[in-house]
């Protein structure tokens, strides 16, 4: 089936989505949905025009509203800065379009919840791009938990650390301003950790957080001596209770000296445990108490044909897949949902739950207290 | 100089201390203090008698009070269950003895503070056996911080995980009963992590903790069907502020599936970072932002002749040292302090600070709130 | 510039090439050469037809000779079983086509040398698909050597181990028959190791090898009780002298229990050293003697923006690339050579040198003696 | 039973032996043999006298012949430079003493064989100090092989690399002179690798080797401009056939940039495999094909109570042991053999087999040919 794409945002992420769609077609064939690059928009007319040609779209516009109303567009793909997600997604849903929105869904739980409800009502596919959920490693770990091999999950300990913003000479960007990005490390990086935690352990019940901005001011522009205040956190650390009784320790830093893409987590269950680092994307470490005592140790399992999603990329086990391959798996899940109505994980409801936890965490950090993550919004215990 | 030892407690730890003393003499020579195995006591007369002969002590007794008053004893070595530390240490100090006490110092900050003050007043050597502080790796990391090579320390993230008590069939012991052991994982394992944190980053200012007992009941005896309640935590997780502005995330579990002796921590500074795991005792991982960008990465530095304490064990770098070697370094520091009045780190004041943090953490976990770690005791913010 | 592709072989590798071409266009743009999927052939008519449609080729044929003579084909892409490489490549060259041939170039040094000379004479681009050479990690290591950072190279120690053929129940295939595949582990896996060694250290001067077939017979077909003899080696180990004075230890196994894609090598120079494993594709371990003694250790450098080829895939360092990304880099080098006459590494001369070493190694293993790797062919010392 | 020790050589190794004896007594008790430090000798009278007092020996002499004839000496402990091993061991045996000789046994297979025969004839305990054989990790791996868990062993791949002699400014020592040390890296480091290989896989049948001296001259003394020729190899690499059908790849370097104590080996069997590095002394990596496919990977097994020899040092698993602990296990095996006639591994026959392989390897490297390792000595194939 043809899936006609209306892409909004012609920057790096828009490009990445387009490559992923093209590869998904090559890898999975048209049975899962054949992406048609129908219409691309960007607020910058030149960018829209150039990208249209380079990425192989049929038409372009500088007005995103034309995309959400275009009768030849099946799915609206939102790859804009975060602050525009809500408005665009809402309009797309109201026009009955399927929506594929980069993470985070919106900048607030309230907005995300509204979108989730609207999508539900409209009966369209609504997908948020939490790519780590589609990692074959994550699915392998999910299987280990679901099958009972790890027993009852007791603890989740994780962090998402990058050092990209460590240099204090790097100038201020929209990421540092609350109005445009909401939180800092929490929303940008921590949300990925939360998406994995949500998929693997389910809902968080209550949180208590401590945040810190280590670099309080940044140059207004590269080399500028004018300093502008950084409004959101460089670092956050969270202790949490899960509804299933597990206890969590989660943190994230965007000034994490030495760490490049260190999304690390460890899950300890009563019968086994597992740990994983995105810096070593292709290996999962798993431990079973059922192994003979003398031979017991963490197994370093390389991703391979036994793990969901891997096979399409490589004919044999142990050949490395990369970040872009995971994005292909994500886009395939979207296409397949649109075409064959297959179930998918990261719907708007899922995205809203992440935003709900984020909201509770921010409230906790600000109020220095435990906060319950409740359906009606984040409130103090 | 002869250092006449009066050992109280003839169990495994007493034996380990004795071996360490004998090895310290062999390794460092009598100039640092020659241990004389003068008197050993154990509440179990048979144990005292047997150990006296096996370990090469001159005399034995079943009454520890005889040890603290014996005029031929220079240093009282306390290797009893934790609950007796306070009473014995106090008596030893009152008799003007040097005191070497296994960690933790006591079961409460109040008692530890009292002992520290008394030791100060008496002017004797007062040493708590936090062995991880004497690890050459720890000293190397301390040097990295002190020299400014890591810049300003931003974060400390650590955990001390073991799975020794994972099996729910393991019966109840004194470690599970508050009266005898105070806290659970926190005091037993977490205190080691806190000792390293205290040495490397200095004082903790405030804490917020969450604790959990996963195995709520245990058999009264091996195989017994009678179940007894476990009174203290299997797991604790803490977020913390340090006085120097750093932020901490610390946890500990005694039911940590898959982890054997996983005292892990990572310190991120503005110019460098370091991480370390006790399961790989001989290697320190360190990162410097001053390295050329293309060649930047964590260095795996094996302990060797350049690192404090290593040289006495091996003539060349890269030859593994073990836990018992570190205990020798600890005992040597004690002997040297007694003999040559050299400075040492883990005095009773140091031990009391650990107990103070523990006290604040327990208060926080119980009250579900932030607690300040203040001189006058742990109080709510 | 349009680069019109004539693909021969519609199997897995042909598909992989096609994806790589499509992605190279998306990633690098048409300036490096725009691949046009002109003509595809497969001996199996159905396969040719289906692949033509699925992969987006314009025309198909079952006769490879039509491809090499087609006036609308610029480059002949050979993705057939190894035994056909020579004949096809020769015909393509004779028709003045550029040639892109999967590794190995041919089954003998003599044939490869002939092709290299013919390509030279025709003045066309002639490329062999040794993908590991295009790995950003390999180029980083090459830079370390070329810049003198490792000093004089003393030793190369490497192995390429996979366990895909460990199971003795796996039936015989063309890979086990000399006539079709030449050598066993050596040509299939070892040739990759040799390609890296050739690129990094230059020519091998003499070799001494020992080979072994551990599984001497395999079922004629899955489940069959009829056993057929395996004709080539499961395992080979080689000691070698390089022209530059370095000494090599190289091995390869296709029955290497536990190893999935373990292309590992270590290069020790007088001033530094490096080791690398393809199972951890994104990390290079490098050691410099110029580091301060106490801080000296192997650095784990994650691939990133500083390393050649990485940037096109990810906007920031530390995000994992995979095998397929490396194949894109390979295809881009080919397109760029055709379009812009940029220099490239893995030409037929390069491929012939690998085949020359293989030839010498096989002679050594058979004759149990040292063999010189000379221009005129492999002869005994 | 008292075991009266006559130690010859008061240097670092003599000291290490003495500590090991003292610790063996503490750890295992007198039932395994109580070491009595009876007599110590050193060619340097002052050294003998000082060591006698420091190490707690009863008497000293400068004449080793007095030790081998002393009626109050039960075991002669030879910790002299290698060149004196033969003469002293022979004299000790002729006087009916038990002999404990540091590795290597002698500088030639012929001498070692003679000593082994003499020891057999005299019926005394004859022990060579190949400490790596007593490593609990080695015994665990031996058990894995013996129990059939790894299936048939196919390959052994190992190296022993250190970079202690990398600096060309380091002056010449007896280790560089054939007369005093025999071979270079091979005898000093490679012999350890061979001892492990001998214990785990049994006899080597034939070898083919390549050796190299990278630093051909060294200063006559520190800072001297006078250069002296280095007579033996810095590096050696070997391919080998084992009697059991396995194939070996072994190497060793004393100028191995970046490697501190890298005794690494990997053993691949038809049902499992194992690899180990002495730089991570406490962890063994083991892989079983019997594990479920999706969960298959190398297990990192930390040494613990399940592994032979560990328990005496630590009450719980996962606590690091070090090099000196392994030397204690070695000495305990010796004492136990003397006292209780328990079987032991590293007898003179074992030592002679190592020397026999070394002899064959040197012959191969010199003659550039395969050499059989035969009972009657090393001869060409």
């Amino acid at each position: 089936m043809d899936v006609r794409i209306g892409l909004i945002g012609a920057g790096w992420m828009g490009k990445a989505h387009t490559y992923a769609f093209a590869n998904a077609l090559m890898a999975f064939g048209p049975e899962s949905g054949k992406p048609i690059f129908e219409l691309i928009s960007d607020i910058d007319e030149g960018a829209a025009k150039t990208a249209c040609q380079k990425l192989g779209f049929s038409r372009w516009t500088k007005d995103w509203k034309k995309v959400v109303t275009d009768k030849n567009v099946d799915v609206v793909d939102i790859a804009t800065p975060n602050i525009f997600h809500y408005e665009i997604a809402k309009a797309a849903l109201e026009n009955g379009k399927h929506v594929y929105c980069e993470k985070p869904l919106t900048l607030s739980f309230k907005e995300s919840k509204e979108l989730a409800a609207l999508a539900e009502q409209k009966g369209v596919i609504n997908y948020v791009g939490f790519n780590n959920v589609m990692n074959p490693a994550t699915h392998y770990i999910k299987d280990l938990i679901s099958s009972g091999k790890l027993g009852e999950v007791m603890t989740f300990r994780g962090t998402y650390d990058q050092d990209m913003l460590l240099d204090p000479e790097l100038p201020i960007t929209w990421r540092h301003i609350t109005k445009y990005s909401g939180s800092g490390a929490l929303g940008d990086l921590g949300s990925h950790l939360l998406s994995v935690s949500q998929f693997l352990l389910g809902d968080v019940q209550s949180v208590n957080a401590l945040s810190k901005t280590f670099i309080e001011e940044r140059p207004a522009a590269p080399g500028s001596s004018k300093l502008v205040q950084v409004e959101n956190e460089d670092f956050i650390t969270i202790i949490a209770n899960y509804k299933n009784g597990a206890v969590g320790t989660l943190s994230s830093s965007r000034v994490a000296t030495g760490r490049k893409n260190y999304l690390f987590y460890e899950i300890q269950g009563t019968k086994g445990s597992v740990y994983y680092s995105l810096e070593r994307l292709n290996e999962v470490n798993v431990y079973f108490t059922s192994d003979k005592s003398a031979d017991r140790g963490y197994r370093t399992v390389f991703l391979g044909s036994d793990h969901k999603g891997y096979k399409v990329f490589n004919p044999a086990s142990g050949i490395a897949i990369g970040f872009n391959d995971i994005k292909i798996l994500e886009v395939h899940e979207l296409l397949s949902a649109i075409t064959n109505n297959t179930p998918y994980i990261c719907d708007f409801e899922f995205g809203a739950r992440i935003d709900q936890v984020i909201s509770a965490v921010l409230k906790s950090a600000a109020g220095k207290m435990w906060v319950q993550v409740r359906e009606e919004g984040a409130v103090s215990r």
Side-chain angles (χ1 to χ4, degrees), chain A:
Chain A
M1 194 182 90
D2 285 0
V3 176
R4 295 167 301 179
I5 296 162
L7 173 63
I8 301 172
W12 177 76
M13 188 53 84
K15 200 168 74 170
H17 281 201
T18 308
Y19 294 176
F21 276 119
N23 274 284
L25 175 60
M26 291 194 286
F28 291 94
E31 298 75 19
S32 300
K34 183 182 176 186
I36 305 293
F37 300 105
E38 187 64 33
L39 179 57
I40 185 171
S41 83
D42 199 285
I43 198 166
D44 172 342
E45 184 169 332
K49 213 168 168 176
T50 306
C52 179
Q53 188 211 335
K54 277 206 167 176
L55 300 176
F57 276 80
S58 302
R59 298 177 286 138
W60 64 269
T61 171
K62 54 178 287 194
D63 182 5
W64 65 261
K65 288 177 185 166
K66 297 231 169 100
V67 179
V68 300
T69 54
D70 194 286
K71 65 172 193 236
N72 289 322
V73 162
D74 298 314
V75 57
V76 173
D77 180 352
I78 306 172
T80 65
N82 303 347
I83 193 173
F84 304 115
H85 289 188
Y86 168 71
E87 187 183 4
I88 299 174
K90 191 176 172 186
L93 290 172
E94 283 169 345
N95 282 280
K97 304 296 187 195
H98 301 301
V99 184
Y100 171 36
C101 183
E102 251 312 303
K103 57 101 343 204
L105 183 46
T106 73
L107 295 188
S108 79
F109 168 55
K110 190 168 158 286
E111 290 174 348
S112 290
K113 204 179 152 187
E114 181 193 336
L115 292 182
L118 184 56
E120 169 79 13
Q121 177 196 321
K122 293 289 182 180
V124 294
I125 301 301
N126 50 107
Y127 199 105
V128 189
F130 282 111
N131 56 72
N132 287 288
V133 171
M134 293 310 296
N135 186 335
T138 317
H139 276 270
Y140 171 43
I141 293 168
K142 178 72 173 173
D143 288 346
L144 289 170
I145 295 173
S146 303
S147 65
K149 280 184 156 186
L150 303 188
E152 298 287 314
V153 170
M154 296 184 288
T155 59
F156 181 94
R157 186 166 54 83
T159 196
Y160 197 171
D161 280 9
Q162 291 187 349
D163 63 3
M164 274 190 279
L165 294 178
L166 178 62
D167 183 354
E169 298 304 314
L170 288 174
I172 204 96
T173 72
W174 65 269
R175 289 210 179 278
H176 303 101
I177 307 300
T178 305
K179 181 180 159 188
Y180 298 118
S181 76
S183 60
L186 177 60
D188 188 27
L189 302 176
S191 62
H192 282 294
L193 186 63
L194 289 172
S195 75
V196 170
S197 148
Q198 182 75 36
F199 178 49
L200 296 176
L201 273 77
D203 290 343
V204 174
Q205 188 167 45
S206 58
V207 293
N208 201 332
L210 171 59
S211 70
K212 186 102 179 181
T213 306
F214 290 107
I215 301 172
E216 296 178 345
E217 294 177 319
R218 289 183 175 276
S224 165
S225 63
K226 190 190 158 198
L227 294 177
V228 180
Q229 204 192 338
V230 173
E231 295 181 5
N232 49 30
E233 79 288 351
D234 289 327
F235 170 84
I236 198 152
T237 181
I238 307 163
I239 52 182
N241 286 293
Y242 287 87
K243 282 195 183 150
N244 68 2
V247 181
T249 310
L250 303 90
S251 60
S252 183
S253 173
R254 63 188 181 189
V255 293
T257 312
R259 297 302 191 176
K260 301 305 164 192
N261 197 28
Y262 189 65
L263 194 171
F264 171 92
Y265 59 94
E266 175 169 348
I267 296 171
Q268 295 174 349
T270 52
K271 292 186 182 169
S273 57
V274 66
Y275 68 87
Y276 179 74
S277 163
L278 194 56
E279 287 185 344
R280 289 180 172 165
L281 192 154
N282 286 272
E283 51 194 277
V284 177
N285 301 278
V286 59
Y287 179 99
F288 300 116
T289 59
S290 57
D291 283 342
K292 188 167 161 284
S293 172
D295 305 329
R296 225 178 268 159
Y298 275 98
R299 303 175 184 185
T300 302
V301 178
F302 284 99
L303 293 182
S305 311
D306 294 306
H307 307 114
K308 190 181 173 185
Y310 176 89
K311 236 178 194 163
V312 76
F313 299 113
N314 294 311
S317 298
I319 302 174
I321 60 171
F323 170 79
N324 288 318
D325 297 324
I326 291 173
K327 209 71 189 173
I328 295 170
L329 292 174
E330 174 180 307
V331 156
H332 169 250
E333 191 172 65
L334 167 71
L335 289 172
S336 184
I338 293 174
T339 306
N340 304 315
N341 209 24
T342 48
Y344 55 103
I345 298 155
C346 298
D347 59 13
F348 282 12
E349 173 66 25
F350 183 95
R353 279 174 194 274
I354 307 301
D355 289 331
Q356 188 179 27
V357 177
I358 287 175
S359 170
V361 167
L362 291 174
K363 186 166 182 178
S364 166
K368 298 189 191 308
M369 60 185 177
W370 279 94
V371 172
Q372 298 289 321
V373 184
R374 291 222 185 93
E375 269 312 311
E376 64 275 24
V379 299
S380 147
R381 115 190 113 87

